Amino acid sequence: MKSDSLKKGMQNAPHRALYHALGLTDEEIERPLVGIVSSYNEIVPGHMNIDKIVEAVKLGVAMAGGTPIVFPAIAVCDGIAMGHTGMKYSLVTRDLIADSTEAMAMAHGFDALVMVPNCDKNVPGLLMAAARLNIPTVFVSGGPMLAGHIDGAKTSFSSISEAVGAFNAGKMSEEKLREYECKTCPTCGSCSGMYTANSMNCLTEALGMGLRGNGTIPAVYSARIELAKHAGMAVMDLVHKNIRPRDIMTKEAIMNALTVDMALGCSTNSMLHLPAIAHECGVEINLDIANEISERTPNLCHLAPAGRTYMEELDEAGGVYAVMNELNKKGLLNTECMTVTGKTVGENIKGCENLNTNVIRPIDNPYSTTGGIAVLRGNLAPEGSVVKRSAVLPEMLVHEGPARVFDCEEDAQAAINAGKIVAGDVVVIRYEGPKGGPGMREMLNPTSAIMGMGLGNSVALITDGRFSGATRGACVGHITPEAASGGLIGVVEDGDIISINIPENKIELKVDEAVLAERMKNFVPKRKELTGYLKRYAELVSGGASGAILN
């Protein structure tokens, strides 16, 4: 065991003295030491129940013969951070989480880890750490929130975001907005649609790093506590079998995750996180792979915000394994990949039937024959950009219109609220990329305002920033190179015609090449005065197309 180098022999008596100071018995010290990485805090709704999950994991580890020891990971609530300076600190925590978990695990010689994340950036951050550390590891999340209920219909976080847009447009009363405020998010857990947190927790199953139900069992269900106990037991089995994260997160497993991503219609943020996780595994993937996989992978699910079904319904329909079993009917998965169950993907999903074909479409009757995410290229994004195709209205899959240009989210939001954006426009928000933001802020507020005002069928939005998983509409993010790195988006002017063609994976600025050459010749990207962690981050981060990894 790795911890033996800290525990065995007379020379390690000082270490053992400190273990005894923790109240550990000789028997506990002799067992494998299992770090339980808890992202519990009292500010993120998706994390407020994680203390209970952690206690269940500890019990499972102890029942299987290990010694569980808890240490923390930070987490930002993207919803609370949305629309202000706080959002600059969301994506950047992914690397803080990976780095700090690496530091804690290496400093204390843990034999194995159980990661207990839930919300947006600490799931990929902990997956990155797992790959980096490469000691036996299992993931168990805090679970998704139940949907809200208003006027006989289910709601989610995107509902309240769009309600604000409807209120600003005079289409909703203050009283009704207040009802949305109070009823949209009724329980703890990660927000109830296929947003980033639930996307990544589902993809953790697809990667093979989480047990069945990790992504879908609601946070408030007792089955979530049972799952946590089983996760604690499972990690001890991995210790005995010496199965490690890089044995599981192979290139083939990452391709499986991308395939499931397309079928589920996950958040565009997965196109930031999967490349970053792959990088830590020593696997390099580029955005072109996403289109290749999308071309052969049907979109089987339309969960909120793309449709009117929610995580609880996906769970009832059979969950991620049922989706994977549908995909496997056409041989779209590598079923030989190892998983944390100690079994292969094929063994895991065998017999996992689709229990509701209205929630998970059969493979022969998909929502579309292509996947839920598309990567667009063109002169505006030669290195790539990303759109959640499954959440775009059919009439907006091809759009051409004049640019309305803003150098920050706040300016765009003010113009939208003031009614200055009209049908046909293409809203351009720049200097919000990984370097330019810095931190690549999510644009949920402007995208929700556009939808809430009834402009979703006539207005597109592009940005070098990114989107919340709650965003829907013709919204193209991750434009790379970004404005701060000298990208063409930095010289777009009001009135320029922008063409977006999602079926053909194209995005173009339709301005004469000679004019563009002159603009670029004179272009000096804007610079922001930065301090602290954001300054260091901006200096080290790569572009969105490569996963916004730190170089």
Side-chain angles (χ1 to χ4, degrees), residues 144-148 155-157 190-195 198 310-312:
M145 184 183 292
L146 294 179
T155 62
S156 61
F157 186 68
S190 48
C191 296
S192 57
M194 189 54 78
Y195 309 144
N198 291 325
Y310 298 82
M311 296 305 296
E312 62 209 64

Side-chain angles (χ1 to χ4, degrees), residues 398-409:
V398 177
H399 180 77
E400 185 170 297
R404 296 297 311 280
V405 183
F406 305 94
D407 286 346
C408 66
E409 177 190 0

Side-chain angles (χ1 to χ4, degrees), residues 23-147:
L24 296 181
T25 65
D26 287 335
E27 293 82 0
E28 287 174 303
I29 295 169
E30 288 173 4
R31 295 174 178 178
L33 301 183
V34 180
I36 315 298
V37 187
S38 170
S39 61
Y40 169 77
N41 62 50
E42 294 184 341
I43 188 61
V44 183
H47 293 222
M48 62 179 285
N49 66 317
I50 280 179
D51 56 341
K52 296 178 177 62
I53 304 297
V54 166
E55 289 303 313
V57 171
K58 289 172 65 178
L59 185 57
V61 169
M63 285 193 295
T67 298
I69 301 174
V70 179
F71 66 88
I74 65 168
V76 163
C77 177
D78 276 28
I80 294 174
M82 195 74 65
H84 59 96
T85 300
M87 182 46 70
K88 296 178 186 290
Y89 287 89
S90 171
L91 179 61
V92 305
T93 63
R94 187 185 70 182
D95 296 276
L96 282 174
I97 291 160
D99 292 349
S100 59
T101 302
E102 174 194 359
M104 287 293 289
M106 293 300 293
H108 301 106
F110 287 107
D111 297 301
L113 298 171
V114 180
M115 307 294 199
V116 191
N118 209 23
C119 291
D120 294 12
K121 306 310 170 296
N122 72 331
V123 182
L126 290 176
L127 283 164
M128 290 163 66
R132 201 180 291 176
L133 291 160
N134 203 35
I135 58 177
T137 303
V138 174
F139 277 68
V140 56
S141 76
M145 184 183 292
L146 294 179

Side-chain angles (χ1 to χ4, degrees), residues 31 39 71 84 94 104 108 147 180 182 195 208 241 253 269 277 313 319 323 391 405 433 452 472 495 501 521 549:
R31 295 174 178 178
S39 61
F71 66 88
H84 59 96
R94 187 185 70 182
M104 287 293 289
H108 301 106
Y180 272 82
C182 294
Y195 309 144
K241 294 177 178 177
N269 283 313
I277 295 162
E313 290 159 304
V323 174
V405 183
R472 64 189 178 108
N501 190 319
K521 178 182 175 182
I549 60 174

